[in-house]
């Protein structure tokens, strides 16, 4: 099924079917459907958890074009993974600090942040903050100090590897049962030294693509830069996921862009599509993700489905060879020796 609009309609039909199975009868009321979807998200701990990946997944979420849903996707995918049982760390690498805002994490000047780990002497464990969205979700915030980090890092030896080494040390210091299953890195809308650090740190890239023509124009440049990073700095990096965002089913353009992306990238593109939804835009204003702000909205359930698909794709991943990179592949990585991490369960879900 390649039509994003048809997939959204099928999802609504599945909600209708679920309503009957929950004893709600043949409801076709939008309010009833929204209540059902909200119940699913709010009671995620009582449902079957997402499967744990075959190794720790360090995912760099990048696109040099602004406004395509990088931060929104980072935050909501992170919350969805955490709510469904997977330990997740979100690293905010954008000086604007939008991911920190959406997760309700303090990021005013003076707050311990990713800047202190990249430029200063702090370890990542000293700048990690808990979030209120889930006990499974932690965040490394970004402050405005990060805006000067690219200049300060110019003279630093191995400046491109600062974030990678910070993640490796952080993972190594944690006991097995507390190591994250997912590390999501939110990049700034540029291809500077901060984004380069993120590409060197990760073992895979997730690219959010807005369903509009302009979003495709700079994609070639991003892919070329990823190829350069693979050749010279991180042999293990690869684009393994593309997420279509801001899909507007009322326009033919959205379908045309979605089809073009799917035809070119094939299975790399997630089946789940994120529709335009005002709740997604409103949520950060309340320091929340859309999953906690309005769990019954189409934006919320779409991100849950995208996270579910992302999680299932990670099950068959094997530990990377230590020579080909990725913090999860090194001897200090969470799953370096072929170990299997169990999904975190709350007491209520056991």
């Amino acid at each position: 099924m390649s039509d994003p609009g048809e997939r959204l309609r099928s999802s609504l039909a599945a909600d209708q079917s679920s309503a009957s199975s929950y004893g709600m009868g043949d409801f076709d009321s939008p309010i009833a459907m929204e209540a059902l979807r909200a119940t699913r998200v709010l009671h995620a701990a009582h449902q079957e958890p997402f499967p744990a990946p075959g190794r720790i997944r360090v995912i760099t979420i990048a696109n040099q074009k602004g406004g395509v849903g990088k931060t929104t996707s980072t935050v909501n995918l992170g919350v969805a993974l955490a709510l469904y049982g997977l330990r997740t760390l979100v690293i905010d690498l954008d000086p604007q600090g939008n991911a920190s805002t959406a997760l309700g994490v303090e990021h005013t000047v003076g707050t311990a942040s990713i800047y202190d780990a990249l430029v200063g002497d702090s370890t990542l464990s000293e700048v990690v903050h808990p979030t209120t969205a889930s006990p499974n979700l932690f965040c490394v915030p970004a402050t405005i100090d990060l805006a000067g980090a690219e200049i300060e890092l110019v003279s630093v030896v191995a400046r491109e590897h600062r974030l990678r080494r910070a993640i490796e040390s952080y993972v190594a210091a944690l006991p097995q049962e507390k190591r994250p299953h997912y590390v999501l890195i939110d990049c700034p809308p540029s291809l500077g030294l901060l984004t380069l650090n993120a590409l060197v740190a990760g073992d895979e890239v997730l690219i959010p693509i807005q369903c509009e023509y302009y979003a495709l124009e700079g994609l070639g440049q991003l892919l070329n830069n990823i190829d350069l990073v693979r050749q010279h700095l991180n042999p293990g990096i690869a684009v393994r996921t593309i997420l279509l965002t801001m899909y507007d089913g009322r326009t033919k353009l959205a379908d045309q862009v979605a089809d073009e992306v799917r035809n070119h990238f094939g299975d790399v593109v997630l089946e789940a599509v994120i529709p335009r939804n005002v709740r997604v835009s409103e949520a950060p204003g309340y320091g929340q993700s859309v999953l906690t702000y309005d769990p019954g909205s189409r934006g919320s359930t779409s991100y849950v489905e995208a996270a579910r698909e992302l999680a299932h794709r990670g099950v068959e991943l094997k530990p990377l060879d230590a020579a080909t990179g990725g913090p999860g592949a090194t001897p200090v990585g969470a799953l370096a020796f072929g170990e299997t991490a169990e999904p975190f369960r709350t007491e209520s879900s056991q």
Side-chain angles (χ1 to χ4, degrees), residues 75-76 79 97-107 130-134 137 279-294:
V75 168
N76 289 297
V79 172
N98 294 146
S100 308
T101 298
L103 291 173
V105 176
E106 183 68 37
H107 61 102
T131 68
T132 57
S134 168
L137 183 64
R279 296 302 194 190
V280 174
S281 302
E282 289 176 354
Y286 295 86
Q288 298 183 54
S289 69
V290 70
L291 279 80
T292 52
Y293 174 67
D294 188 354

Side-chain angles (χ1 to χ4, degrees), residues 1-349:
M1 189 184 300
S2 61
D3 177 18
E6 185 61 32
R7 275 194 297 277
L8 292 176
R9 288 189 287 274
S10 296
S11 178
L12 285 171
D15 288 339
Q16 182 81 17
S17 176
S18 297
S20 299
S21 66
Y22 276 90
M24 295 175 64
D26 187 20
F27 277 95
D28 57 1
S29 164
I31 295 177
M33 290 300 101
E34 184 169 337
L36 173 62
R37 294 195 297 267
T39 300
R40 287 177 179 172
V41 176
L42 290 172
H43 295 88
H46 299 281
Q47 300 179 42
E48 182 179 355
F50 289 168
R55 56 174 165 77
I56 181 174
R57 297 182 72 182
V58 183
I59 302 177
T60 299
I61 301 177
N63 191 328
Q64 79 274 18
K65 185 180 186 305
V68 299
K70 287 188 302 296
T71 298
T72 300
S73 297
T74 303
V75 168
N76 289 297
L77 288 174
V79 172
L81 291 167
L83 288 177
Y84 281 85
L86 298 177
R87 296 184 294 274
T88 305
L89 173 66
V90 171
I91 298 178
D92 189 353
L93 210 59
D94 187 343
Q96 298 176 86
N98 294 146
S100 308
T101 298
L103 291 173
V105 176
E106 183 68 37
H107 61 102
T108 55
V109 175
T111 303
S113 69
I114 190 63
Y115 172 84
D116 301 293
L118 288 178
V119 179
D121 298 323
S122 298
T123 63
L124 211 57
S125 60
E126 294 173 326
V127 298
V128 169
H129 297 252
T131 68
T132 57
S134 168
N136 262 352
L137 183 64
F138 292 83
C139 175
V140 179
T143 63
I144 193 62
D145 295 332
L146 195 60
E150 297 208 13
I151 297 175
E152 295 179 65
L153 286 172
V154 167
S155 60
V156 175
V157 176
R159 57 185 179 269
E160 302 92 349
H161 293 80
R162 299 283 291 183
L163 181 59
R164 177 186 174 123
R165 291 176 178 173
I167 295 174
E168 289 176 346
S169 299
Y170 172 73
V171 171
L174 291 173
Q176 182 69 36
E177 67 276 7
K178 291 187 177 180
R179 291 174 176 175
H181 296 100
Y182 283 83
V183 178
L184 306 181
I185 306 173
D186 181 35
C187 294
S190 66
L191 294 175
L193 196 51
L194 291 176
T195 299
L196 184 58
N197 259 271
L199 292 173
V200 172
D203 53 68
E204 54 185 292
V205 180
L206 185 155
I207 304 177
I209 298 181
Q210 183 182 3
C211 291
E212 293 186 3
Y213 175 74
Y214 284 147
L216 299 176
E217 282 199 317
L219 193 56
Q221 184 182 356
L222 174 61
L223 296 175
N224 288 338
N225 278 274
I226 293 172
D227 283 338
L228 289 173
V229 171
R230 183 187 303 111
Q231 293 171 27
H232 300 287
L233 295 168
N234 182 6
I237 194 70
V239 178
R240 292 196 173 92
T241 310
I242 289 178
L243 176 64
L244 294 169
T245 64
M246 302 182 189
Y247 173 79
D248 189 343
R250 300 170 299 178
T251 67
K252 292 293 292 181
L253 176 62
D255 285 334
Q256 290 169 357
V257 172
D259 288 342
E260 186 171 341
V261 172
R262 290 188 186 281
N263 290 336
H264 185 76
F265 292 100
D267 292 340
V268 171
V269 186
L270 293 180
E271 287 294 322
V273 178
I274 310 303
R276 281 196 178 274
N277 185 262
V278 68
R279 296 302 194 190
V280 174
S281 302
E282 289 176 354
Y286 295 86
Q288 298 183 54
S289 69
V290 70
L291 279 80
T292 52
Y293 174 67
D294 188 354
S297 67
R298 291 303 306 167
S300 173
T301 51
S302 295
Y303 270 115
V304 169
E305 290 309 308
R308 188 190 311 277
E309 192 175 347
L310 187 69
H312 280 281
R313 289 186 176 196
V315 173
E316 297 181 358
L317 289 177
K318 293 180 170 47
L320 294 173
D321 187 280
T324 58
T330 64
V332 302
L335 305 175
F337 301 104
E339 300 161 344
T340 301
E342 292 295 326
F344 173 90
R345 292 173 181 266
T346 62
E347 292 183 1
S348 60
S349 65

